Amino acid sequence: MPLSRRQDLLRALPYARRYARALCGSQSSGDLLVAESLRELMAVDDPSLPPRLRLYQWISRHHAQNSVENTQGRGMPPVARKLLLLTALEELSMADAARVLSLNPTQATAMLEDAHARLRSCAQTSVLIIEDEPIIAMDIEELVRQCGHTIAGVASSEAEAVRLARETHPGLILADINLGDGGDGMNAVSAILRHQDIPIIFVTAYPERLLTGDTIEPAFVITKPFEPLTLAVSTYQAVSGGVSLN
């Protein structure tokens, strides 16, 4: 494989990790899926797709061969979930997502429409928001409600987040990383998870910093600013996938 394509693959790694972790519902399984796919992909030179799309494609294929395919995303076909993640979370065009999954555009469009309908009818949950900026917190509250969820509470600091989680027992936590003077969102979540098993979605303007694979990192990451559909897809996957940090 030419050096330029290898470099493009390496640049695509943070996004591949985000996609794989969302598919698997965990950092460890997702990163292993990326490592397996990258190792095989580096051994061949197939210029028919850009490196980032090719990496998504190999991750999707490896995931389809794994038994986790039968236990994640209840109520939605696995390929439809991948379409949702590729278009909403990874922001691929419909045409590129269809190429990644080897679907014709008409088939992909129909499948995605059905997936959106399933999203609207899926079970909702209560959400604890951890965000120190009041205006951003209000915006996130509105997006959460648009997705049909209820608000368990809004915390602006580590201590408040831990207290609210203990008092409200939310079904999902949506956490910013940097809480300013209020501390660190990752620390707040770590403290909460010592006592409660709650799926987590981290919200950040710099997702690549959380997707290095070097340390314990989140399974679900969305990028600020985000659209309601991105939140809906991520919450569906987080709640149905079950786990959060490892």
Side-chain angles (χ1 to χ4, degrees):
M1 177 181 291
L3 178 59
S4 60
R5 287 178 61 80
R6 286 175 176 264
Q7 292 173 334
D8 287 342
L9 278 175
L10 294 176
R11 282 191 287 267
L13 277 180
Y15 309 101
R17 290 191 180 104
R18 177 172 59 186
Y19 174 59
R21 291 177 188 182
L23 273 180
C24 296
S26 79
Q27 175 191 351
S28 56
S29 297
D31 288 356
L32 179 60
L33 194 61
V34 172
E36 292 173 347
S37 301
L38 184 63
R39 183 167 51 250
E40 296 184 18
L41 188 53
M42 294 283 272
V44 300
D45 182 22
D46 184 353
S48 61
L49 280 178
R52 182 174 172 180
L53 298 188
R54 178 62 73 188
L55 191 49
Y56 286 141
Q57 185 179 67
W58 282 55
I59 290 168
S60 300
R61 289 175 179 174
H62 276 292
H63 185 261
Q65 298 166 1
N66 194 305
S67 60
V68 74
E69 192 82 286
N70 298 318
T71 61
Q72 302 292 324
R74 293 177 292 277
M76 186 178 295
V79 176
R81 287 193 303 110
K82 290 170 183 172
L83 267 177
L84 279 173
L85 291 172
L86 288 170
T87 54
L89 188 64
E90 299 306 314
E91 300 181 338
L92 296 190
S93 67
M94 171 62 78
D96 282 344
R99 292 171 68 197
V100 166
L101 298 175
S102 300
L103 301 171
N104 67 61
T106 301
Q107 181 185 19
T109 299
M111 190 175 294
L112 193 59
E113 289 175 355
D114 178 68
H116 286 173
R118 289 174 183 266
L119 268 184
R120 289 190 292 270
S121 64
C122 72
Q124 308 303 318
T125 191
S126 62
V127 180
L128 171 60
I129 298 169
I130 305 176
E131 169 60 63
D132 67 311
E133 295 288 346
I135 294 178
I136 296 176
M138 290 175 63
D139 288 342
I140 294 175
E141 279 190 77
E142 179 59 28
L143 288 175
V144 167
R145 290 194 174 96
Q146 287 179 25
C147 292
H149 303 297
T150 58
I151 305 298
V154 180
S156 60
S157 68
E158 289 183 34
E160 188 178 17
V162 173
R163 177 181 61 80
L164 283 175
R166 183 177 61 249
E167 293 175 354
T168 64
H169 299 282
L172 176 72
I173 293 177
L174 193 62
D176 193 7
I177 302 299
N178 185 359
L179 301 179
D181 293 337
D184 184 281
M186 292 282 282
N187 291 341
V189 165
S190 295
I192 291 168
L193 292 179
R194 282 198 289 269
H195 304 284
Q196 300 179 64
D197 183 17
I198 306 171
I200 312 293
I201 298 175
F202 281 98
V203 182
T204 176
Y206 306 99
E208 64 278 2
R209 296 180 184 177
L210 295 175
L211 297 164
T212 64
D214 293 334
T215 60
I216 298 299
E217 297 172 331
F220 299 97
V221 179
I222 56 180
T223 306
K224 289 181 178 180
F226 54 86
E227 299 295 328
L229 179 59
T230 304
L231 179 61
V233 171
S234 299
T235 54
Y236 176 88
Q237 189 68 5
V239 172
S240 65
V243 296
S244 51
L245 283 179
N246 50 56

